Amino acid sequence: QVRIEGPAVAGLQAAFVQNWAETTGVIDRTETSYPELHQAGTDVVHVVRGTATVGWDDMQTAWHGLLTSARERVTLQTAYFAPDRHFLQLLTSSAARGVQVDLLMPGPHYDKALSRLGSERFYEPLLAAGVRLWRYQPTMLHTKVLTVDDRLAMVGSSNYNRRSLDHDEEVAVIVYGGSVPAELRRHFTDDCERADEVSPRRWKHRSAVQRAGETAAGALSRWL
């Protein structure tokens, strides 16, 4: 979905080389594998990598920095949503200080029922804080895109869940300024036209069976 040219390619190549070396024990030292990279545009692009580690990695730091910098609007699309307490609070506190926060997730075509329940256990505190929740209807949504104030955007492999942030190898690109953040936000708006918004009133009166399923899924949230 994203084509990158210029110096930022080196960051993506470094992520690949590290994973390749860990898997095969081989590092390609051929000069032709590392061509000279020339500036290809005016957008500022930063590559962020995430990996299993003790404490925060660069991916977690990037999520934190981007969300705390929001002043007007945040849009977040994620296939799997199961944050820890801190990353949940980043969204609720943003909404509490007046930032419009919209979160788009899969709807009826969720590919993992347990992950769906794991996400839904967070709906109540999000809705109470003023976060707007959307569920995509046509098919399984697998997008991972964050936009902040139409001036910053992050696109990559990382979902907003503990599995991505704590355990998995992930990579993303952050784009500063230019036309990309606003364009991705427009894509978000288009996707919401094919999504249903979660009603706070209706969700508050969900069934006891649904609540029990959410509680059960919560025990496995760090792996969802």
Side-chain angles (χ1 to χ4, degrees):
Q1 293 180 329
V2 178
R3 179 184 177 93
I4 298 173
E5 299 179 6
V9 172
L12 294 173
Q13 188 175 32
F16 172 82
V17 168
Q18 181 186 31
N19 284 167
W20 184 265
E22 289 178 353
T23 302
T24 67
V26 176
I27 298 179
D28 183 2
R29 302 183 187 276
T30 309
E31 288 188 12
T32 54
S33 297
Y34 305 92
E36 186 175 357
L37 300 171
H38 302 282
Q39 184 171 339
T42 59
D43 289 342
V44 178
V45 179
H46 180 70
V47 178
V48 181
R49 296 155 59 190
T51 187
T53 185
V54 176
W56 276 16
D57 63 8
D58 291 346
M59 188 69 72
Q60 292 164 309
T61 302
W63 280 108
H64 176 89
L66 290 170
L67 289 170
T68 55
S69 73
R71 295 294 177 266
E72 296 176 2
R73 184 173 186 185
V74 165
T75 67
L76 171 59
Q77 292 173 276
T78 183
Y80 306 107
F81 182 84
D84 64 15
R85 183 177 300 178
H86 174 79
F87 285 97
L88 177 66
Q89 188 177 25
L90 282 179
L91 295 179
T92 57
S93 61
S94 295
R97 58 187 169 83
V99 176
Q100 180 180 336
V101 180
D102 290 85
L103 173 58
L104 177 62
M105 295 169 288
H109 301 285
Y110 223 124
D111 62 345
K112 297 179 176 65
L114 189 61
S115 294
R116 176 182 59 79
L117 288 168
S119 296
E120 290 171 344
R121 65 187 291 261
F122 297 102
Y123 282 14
E124 197 159 336
L126 288 167
L127 292 168
V131 176
R132 298 181 70 183
L133 305 180
W134 305 83
R135 298 198 283 198
Y136 192 68
Q137 298 298 304
T139 186
M140 171 64 187
L141 179 82
H142 215 272
T143 309
K144 296 103 162 136
V145 178
L146 171 73
T147 71
V148 178
D149 298 340
D150 284 355
R151 60 184 176 85
L152 299 168
M154 182 163 70
V155 183
S157 64
S158 177
N159 290 289
Y160 203 76
N161 64 346
R162 294 191 65 180
R163 184 183 179 105
S164 283
L165 294 175
D166 294 345
H167 307 294
D168 289 349
E169 299 287 320
E170 308 285 4
V171 66
V173 291
I174 302 174
V175 182
Y176 301 84
S179 62
V180 173
E183 182 177 356
L184 290 172
R185 198 265 304 160
R186 288 193 294 271
H187 290 176
F188 181 94
T189 301
D190 291 342
D191 287 340
C192 284
E193 293 180 356
R194 296 183 289 274
D196 288 343
E197 185 172 4
V198 178
S199 165
R201 179 176 297 180
R202 291 183 62 184
W203 189 255
K204 186 176 181 180
H205 294 93
R206 65 196 185 280
S207 70
V209 173
Q210 168 69 28
R211 292 175 184 270
E214 295 169 20
T215 300
L220 300 174
S221 62
R222 68 178 293 114
W223 304 107
L224 298 180

